[in-house]
Structure formats: C-alpha cells, structure tokens
C-alpha cells in the first residue's frame, strides 16, 4: 500500500491515459481521482458497483472509490439483468449502468490521496458454467500480486504503452491492463482492441498487447503486419488454451 499511496501523491506531466483524441497526463488524472473521491465521500453507501467501458474513467473512479473507503464490485457488463443481480449486494451504481447514481465528475484540485489496506474489491467469475460468482480480493492481495509480476516482467513495461483486447472488468485484464502498468508508471490505452486489425492504427511507438487466445487465433494474414512488428515488445495471453499453431502464427 505505501507504494500505491506514494504514487497517487506524485506530481507529474507524464502520460497516464493514452486516448485517441489526445492524452491525459498524470496530474490531470489525479484531479479526476480526487473528484471521484469527493463525490463518493458525500454518499453514505459503502458498497458500489462500477462499470465503465472507458479504461481511463474506470481507473479514476476505482481509485477515487478506494480513497473514499468504498468497496467496489466489478461486473463483466452493465446489462439490466446484471444490474438486477447486483442490486441486493450494493448500495449504488457508478458508470454506464441504466439509471446509475454517478456517471461523471468534474476534476478538482488534488489534496492528499490515501487508500487503506483493509478494503475489498469484488470480482466475478465468467459465468460460463452457471451464474457468475463473486470473488473477494483485498487491496493488499492485489498489490502483492502486482509486486510479484513486477519482479517477473517489470522490465518489459519500461517506457511502454499498454494496449489490450481484454476487459479491465475481468481479473486478468484488471491486473495486467490496469494495475500492473499503473504501478509501473506506464501509459494505459483507454480503448479496447476489438479486432486484430485495430493494431494497425496504433501510433508508431513501443507497446505491449494484453490479449486472449481467442483474439490471437483471429489474426489473419495481412500485408501490413510488418509495420507494427518492431513496436510490439511482448504479448500476454490468458483466459483459455493458446494453441501452439496460433502462437507460432502470431510469432511469425
């Protein structure tokens, strides 16, 4: 926790969130976090469901909720049925839900940002074998996981923008697409790579792809793949079996 709280209170103009319409620097991002903290501190509910498609807004709201000492539930979507399922568990809804309690905030002047170690974050299983089940993680557990991954892979993330084809609402995407680059002080892309061809429109700069076997299996022959090859520094894949032939095809 000390590392996260120290990071949140740093002043910097480095890029925090990469955006197709421009970039959000770290100081601007912290102002958003502070605004979410203030908005949620003014509300008595302790448990909140959070869903934003935009990764940058999601992360600012999440950190703001943690600074406000709120427990956050992270569903895989914001569909009405999901909202109905969550309603008995939470006191409010943040983000892209229909009739959400909070959908946006206005950035404010940042004061001290502090996250307590005893907070919980609730994830959900995919629901592929039944109703999605809640999985509770403490923030301390999340930070320990990130610290371990930094020891193993941290060097790969230096000076790298992180792009992804997996949702930040799922545990894998949350750790590798959001928390790991956050703690490594790297830029995070706010948009999801829906199709492999989306990679061809990325800026000519080094990047890491956080992906899934399904996404990688859909990479078809294309004459322009060579243009991104020098910039792609690593590919992470999880969430299913990565068949050797698909891995070899991507490597080629």
């Amino acid at each position: 926790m000390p590392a996260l709280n120290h990071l949140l209170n740093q002043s910097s103009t480095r890029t925090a969130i990469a955006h197709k319409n421009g970039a959000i620097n770290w100081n601007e991002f912290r102002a958003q976090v502070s605004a979410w903290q203030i908005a949620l501190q003014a509300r008595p509910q302790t448990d909140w469901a959070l869903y934003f498609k935009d990764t940058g807004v999601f992360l600012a709201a999440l950190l703001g909720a943690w600074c406000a000492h709120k427990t956050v539930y992270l569903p895989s979507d914001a569909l009405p049925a999901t909202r109905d399922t969550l309603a008995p568990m939470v006191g409010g809804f943040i983000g892209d839900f229909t009739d959400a309690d909070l959908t946006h905030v206005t950035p404010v002047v940042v004061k001290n940002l502090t996250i307590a170690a005893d907070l919980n974050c609730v994830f959900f299983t995919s629901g592929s074998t039944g109703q999605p089940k809640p999985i509770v993680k403490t923030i301390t557990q999340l930070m320990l996981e990130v610290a371990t991954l930094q020891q193993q892979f941290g060097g790969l993330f230096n000076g790298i923008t992180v792009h992804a084809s997996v949702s930040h609402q799922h545990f894998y995407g949350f750790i590798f697409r959001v928390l790991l680059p956050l703690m490594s002080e790297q830029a995070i892309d706010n948009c999801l790579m829906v199709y492999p061809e989306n990679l061809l429109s990325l800026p000519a700069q080094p990047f890491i792809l956080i992906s899934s076997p399904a996404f990688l299996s859909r990479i078809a022959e294309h004459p322009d793949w060579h243009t991104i090859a020098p910039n792609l520094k690593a590919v992470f894949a999880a969430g299913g079996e990565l068949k050797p032939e698909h891995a070899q095809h991507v490597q080629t």
Side-chain angles (χ1 to χ4, degrees):
M1 290 313 302
L4 177 57
N5 286 325
H6 175 72
L7 176 65
L8 287 176
N9 289 289
Q10 287 181 354
S11 177
S12 173
T13 57
R14 67 175 175 83
T15 298
I17 305 297
H19 196 289
K20 63 181 179 181
N21 297 324
I24 298 172
N25 71 38
W26 180 247
N27 288 337
E28 294 168 334
F29 177 75
R30 290 173 65 239
Q32 294 179 9
V33 173
S34 190
W36 282 106
Q37 177 190 14
I38 292 169
L40 286 162
Q41 279 179 332
R43 295 174 180 253
Q45 299 95 324
T46 58
D47 300 326
W48 290 81
L50 170 62
Y51 182 92
F52 276 111
K53 287 184 179 179
D54 186 302
T55 304
V57 179
F58 164 84
L59 182 56
L62 173 81
L63 294 173
W66 284 352
C67 288
H69 210 82
K70 307 296 185 181
T71 295
V72 178
Y73 287 66
L74 302 179
S76 60
D77 58 62
L79 296 174
T82 301
R83 194 186 193 286
D84 292 342
T85 299
L86 286 168
M89 306 180 196
V90 302
F93 292 83
I94 304 169
D96 298 335
F97 297 97
T98 302
D99 298 325
D101 299 271
L102 286 168
T103 58
H104 66 280
V105 292
T106 301
V108 299
V109 176
V110 181
K111 295 183 179 180
N112 185 54
L113 296 171
T114 304
I115 296 174
D118 60 347
L119 287 174
N120 291 330
C121 191
V122 183
F123 300 87
F124 288 86
T125 59
S126 64
S128 58
T129 58
Q131 190 72 16
K133 295 179 176 60
I135 305 295
V136 180
K137 295 281 187 180
T138 67
I139 296 181
T140 297
Q141 287 175 320
L142 297 175
M143 290 297 103
L144 287 172
E145 176 143 2
V146 168
T148 301
L149 292 171
Q150 283 181 310
Q151 290 178 358
Q152 184 69 31
F153 303 115
L156 292 174
F157 285 79
N158 292 336
I160 299 290
T161 298
V162 176
H163 299 281
S165 69
V166 295
S167 172
H168 52 249
Q169 299 279 151
H170 293 287
F171 187 72
Y172 163 51
F174 179 86
I175 292 292
F176 280 86
R177 180 183 177 185
V178 175
L179 221 52
L180 182 55
L182 170 72
M183 296 307 297
S184 301
E185 300 186 33
Q186 304 307 317
I188 300 169
D189 185 10
N190 76 310
C191 294
L192 194 69
M193 298 285 107
V194 179
Y195 305 106
E197 290 73 24
N198 293 149
L199 297 171
L200 295 171
S201 63
L202 293 178
Q205 60 188 29
F207 73 95
I208 284 175
L209 177 63
I210 308 300
S211 190
S212 66
F215 182 87
L216 298 179
S217 71
R218 295 196 298 271
I219 292 182
E221 297 292 343
H222 195 289
D224 294 332
W225 283 132
H226 71 279
T227 62
I228 70 166
N231 299 319
L232 180 57
K233 301 306 179 184
V235 178
F236 288 85
E241 178 191 5
L242 176 60
K243 294 183 177 180
E245 58 267 30
H246 293 156
Q248 183 60 52
H249 177 66
V250 172
Q251 182 71 34
T252 301

